[in-house]
Amino acid sequence: MDQFTLNLIVVGFTFAIYIGIAIWARAGSTAEFYAAGQGVNPIMNGMATGADWMSAASFISMAGIIALAPVGGYTQSAFLMGWTGGYVLLAMLLAPYLRKFGKFTVPEFVGDRFYSKTARLVAVLCLIVISVTYVIGQMRGVGVTFSRFLEVSTDMGLYIGAAVVFAYAVLGGMKGITYTQVAQYIVLIIAYTIPAIFISLSLTGNFLPQLGLIGGYAPQGGEISMLAKLDQVVTELGFTAYTADTTNMFNMFLFTMALMIGTAGLPHVIVRFFTVPKVADARSSAGWALVFIALLYTVAPAVGAMARLNLTTTFWPGAKEGSALSAPALSLADIDSKPELSWINTWKATGLLEFSDKNGDGLIQYFNEPKAVADANKKLAEATKALADAPADADKTPLEAAVAEATTARDAALAEAKLGDKTLAELGFVGNEVTKVDNDIMVLANPEIAALPGWVVALVAAGGLAAALSTAAGLLLAISSAVSHDLIKGAINPNISEKGELLAARISMAFAIALATYLGLNPPGFAAQVVALAFGLAAATIFPVLMMGIFSKRVNTAGAITGMLAGLVFTSVYIFLYLGWFFIPGTNVYPNTPDQHFFGISPLSIGTIGAVVNFVVAYAVSMATKAPPQHVVDLVESIRVPKGAGKAVAH
């Protein structure tokens, strides 16, 4: 059976399961649509939370960004530390208290705690901005996965994915999504770990990838550790050592913190803890979610490292048992003729992997092109294009002179730049010939790079789609409930019937799916990067207002509203300055490069500063205005004190 047919069978089977569950678990009331009737078992809720949480960013992109990080893999481990640490914060500081409050949505809590419809509407605004930003990354992951495994365009992949989400999310609401996510978690965890086990056995002889990461490199008899081998190979090719320390610890700290408090402030994650029967179940659910998430997150570093090593040794066959340059690079003839290398041309067809034989030697040299060489090659390409585009009757003498000058400058740069003890000119290299390796292909291509069986490749396709679709559904439900429950019922039409509210929820979800699909066609970055922006926005808006709402009796309406708006505006503007206004390409004020970041703080890390701005503004405004009424103070006390607890008695 060919790979395409196998992919169709496995992916189609999983989709049939998801839609079948949605029909079985169709929501018949708003309570079931928003919170699954608050009757979900904590262990199942933990599993569903794991699927809701482990999105396309976790499954598809996280290992890729660790594997291909220009600054080395250690710096990108912040994704792992921040995302897992956030669940500890969520379990300890938010989940049980919000469940005790007993309502359906985060904006509803904000509105009641801060006794204001305006505060509720501001929370709705923040929630929609966060969720829409987050869902872009999921749709990007859907498009990437479909474009490869179902051999359709990225755009068509988005449309198919949107149709599937529409079928089970609009029909089933939170009840359908919850049980669908349980199935999706099973699919994605199997799909992620099985290839990792195969590859770990191949490279290190260890069954567990977690041990393989620190194990010996099997092709050289285990005499050198796998990580040491990876460092050796990538540094020989001019890249930063994979295990190199970060050069900006301050930014890494801010980024990790933004991911942690952003995790604890994500509305689509928080709402999962409204679905369990009791307060104790909310904390238990968070614990189980952490266990289920750890099954993937402890494997991800190994997947990233092994994928990078396999990719590099594919393009430099000599690196498997010796140094990278001890044998010629991979040839175009081998790529076109060897079945085990067919994945290279397949991924090239998607546009996510690009290479070209720049020096015409029939080989593809993959290395870190020095900046001076890259700049010289860029100028030469521009001069060559200008000459080629010139009208036939034009005087081409100046253009030819420019090409000659650029060629001389490029040759001089090649004669100066070195790989090992030889210059690029001596090696016959004119530039890096693997011009693009998208972060988002590393996990999906990993089984093919390692020449694993076809059924494993198909399973990874199903897992990637499960990860992206499960989180997309949760986000879309958060948007839908914010519009129907908090905006329409909470502000516009408080007397709307339950049937009318349920219809409004389904219509708003359909519109949210359409918007997410549109934005997914033009994402502002790869999946993990876009998702990280959403975390920054959550960190700067939702997390502070929830913390102050639960643990402070003094913060009032004015403080909460101004704090949320200050955090949202500050963080959004900083992000837009580097990534374009409203993510429109070409509208950025500054280039998104480390040397241009204020105080070295990247747009992905600014959420931590935004959270500080939120806290400071909220407290300052609250202290300058009237204290909350007594019934709100009593509400805060009732949320924080366990039900039925009596006062301490002195002895």
Side-chain angles (χ1 to χ4, degrees), residues 24-71:
W24 167 74
R26 176 172 178 152
S29 66
T30 53
E32 290 183 337
F33 192 89
Y34 295 137
Q38 295 184 327
V40 181
N41 179 276
I43 297 177
M44 292 192 71
N45 194 55
M47 195 177 292
T49 304
D52 202 352
W53 173 248
M54 289 185 294
S55 62
S58 291
F59 189 99
I60 297 173
S61 195
M62 182 172 62
I65 195 175
I66 294 172
L68 298 174
V71 293

Side-chain angles (χ1 to χ4, degrees), residues 450-461:
L452 298 184
W455 65 268
V456 179
V457 176
L459 189 59
V460 169

Side-chain angles (χ1 to χ4, degrees), residues 138-157:
Q138 309 318 306
M139 303 313 285
R140 154 79 175 177
V142 170
V144 168
T145 308
F146 270 117
S147 69
R148 164 60 188 93
F149 292 106
L150 297 187
E151 298 179 18
V152 297
S153 68
T154 303
D155 291 359
M156 180 56 67

Side-chain angles (χ1 to χ4, degrees), residues 420-457:
D421 58 355
K422 291 185 177 181
T423 66
L424 295 182
E426 290 172 330
L427 291 167
F429 299 171
V430 298
N432 174 33
E433 296 179 339
V434 180
T435 53
K436 180 180 181 180
V437 183
D438 195 288
N439 289 279
D440 290 345
I441 77 170
M442 291 306 292
V443 169
L444 300 177
N446 213 9
E448 296 174 288
I449 297 172
L452 298 184
W455 65 268
V456 179
V457 176

Side-chain angles (χ1 to χ4, degrees), residues 28-391:
S29 66
T30 53
E32 290 183 337
F33 192 89
Y34 295 137
Q38 295 184 327
V40 181
N41 179 276
I43 297 177
M44 292 192 71
N45 194 55
M47 195 177 292
T49 304
D52 202 352
W53 173 248
M54 289 185 294
S55 62
S58 291
F59 189 99
I60 297 173
S61 195
M62 182 172 62
I65 195 175
I66 294 172
L68 298 174
V71 293
Y74 171 76
T75 301
Q76 302 305 329
S77 64
F79 281 97
L80 296 167
M81 295 184 290
W83 283 343
T84 50
Y87 261 87
V88 178
L89 288 180
L90 188 60
M92 297 294 103
L93 299 179
L94 294 179
Y97 304 108
L98 292 174
R99 175 61 189 87
K100 185 175 182 184
F101 185 66
K103 297 298 177 70
F104 289 146
T105 67
V106 170
E108 192 170 15
F109 168 79
V110 173
D112 285 7
R113 162 59 183 88
F114 295 105
Y115 49 97
S116 167
K117 285 187 177 180
T118 303
R120 185 172 180 174
L121 292 177
V122 172
V124 169
L125 172 65
C126 294
L127 184 150
I128 291 174
V129 171
I130 293 163
S131 299
V132 167
T133 304
Y134 201 147
V135 83
I136 296 171
Q138 309 318 306
M139 303 313 285
R140 154 79 175 177
V142 170
V144 168
T145 308
F146 270 117
S147 69
R148 164 60 188 93
F149 292 106
L150 297 187
E151 298 179 18
V152 297
S153 68
T154 303
D155 291 359
M156 180 56 67
L158 283 173
Y159 298 139
I160 296 172
V164 174
V165 172
F166 182 90
Y168 71 78
V170 173
L171 185 67
M174 177 60 85
K175 184 178 179 182
I177 286 171
T178 296
Y179 295 108
T180 301
Q181 285 173 338
V182 171
Q184 287 169 330
Y185 176 81
I186 294 169
V187 171
L188 75 87
I189 199 66
I190 292 173
Y192 201 85
T193 52
I194 285 181
I197 290 170
F198 273 108
I199 295 168
S200 180
L201 285 169
S202 169
L203 289 179
T204 70
N206 281 292
F207 178 80
L208 290 176
Q210 295 92 329
L211 296 178
L213 180 65
I214 57 175
Y217 181 59
Q220 290 185 212
E223 296 176 359
I224 183 174
S225 73
M226 198 275 293
L227 285 176
K229 176 64 178 179
L230 178 55
D231 277 348
Q232 171 204 315
V233 170
V234 297
T235 53
E236 284 175 354
L237 298 174
F239 296 100
T240 302
Y242 190 77
T243 58
D245 201 352
T246 180
T247 56
N248 188 344
M249 188 60 74
F250 177 60
N251 183 70
M252 185 174 179
F253 169 78
L254 292 179
F255 180 47
T256 306
M257 182 60 71
L259 293 177
M260 286 180 66
I261 61 178
T263 296
L266 282 176
H268 78 285
V269 173
I270 293 172
V271 76
R272 289 235 55 91
F273 300 103
F274 297 158
T275 65
V276 292
K278 304 190 298 291
V279 174
D281 293 337
R283 198 184 298 275
S284 175
S285 284
W288 279 109
L290 199 54
V291 170
F292 292 127
I293 290 166
L295 292 179
L296 187 147
Y297 273 30
T298 55
V299 174
V303 171
M306 293 173 187
R308 177 70 178 276
L309 185 56
N310 273 335
L311 178 74
T312 310
T313 55
T314 296
F315 283 98
W316 292 100
K320 291 180 180 177
E321 297 184 7
S323 66
L325 302 177
S326 63
L330 184 66
S331 70
L332 287 170
D334 283 348
I335 293 174
D336 293 335
S337 63
K338 293 186 176 180
E340 67 270 22
L341 297 174
S342 63
W343 64 270
I344 297 177
N345 280 326
T346 305
W347 277 107
K348 186 180 181 182
T350 69
L352 300 174
L353 175 66
E354 296 176 1
F355 57 90
S356 62
D357 184 12
K358 296 177 180 178
N359 59 1
D361 64 355
L363 306 175
I364 299 299
Q365 284 97 17
Y366 169 53
F367 63 97
N368 188 28
E369 194 172 294
K371 187 176 185 303
V373 174
D375 291 343
N377 274 322
K378 182 179 179 182
K379 289 181 180 178
L380 177 57
E382 290 171 351
T384 303
K385 186 177 186 303
L387 178 60
D389 293 344

Side-chain angles (χ1 to χ4, degrees), residues 592-617:
N592 188 22
T593 55
D595 60 303
Q596 294 293 320
H597 296 155
F598 287 99
F599 303 104
I601 303 172
S602 80
L604 302 181
S605 308
I606 197 62
T608 301
I609 306 299
V612 174
V613 169
N614 188 331
F615 277 117
V616 170
V617 169

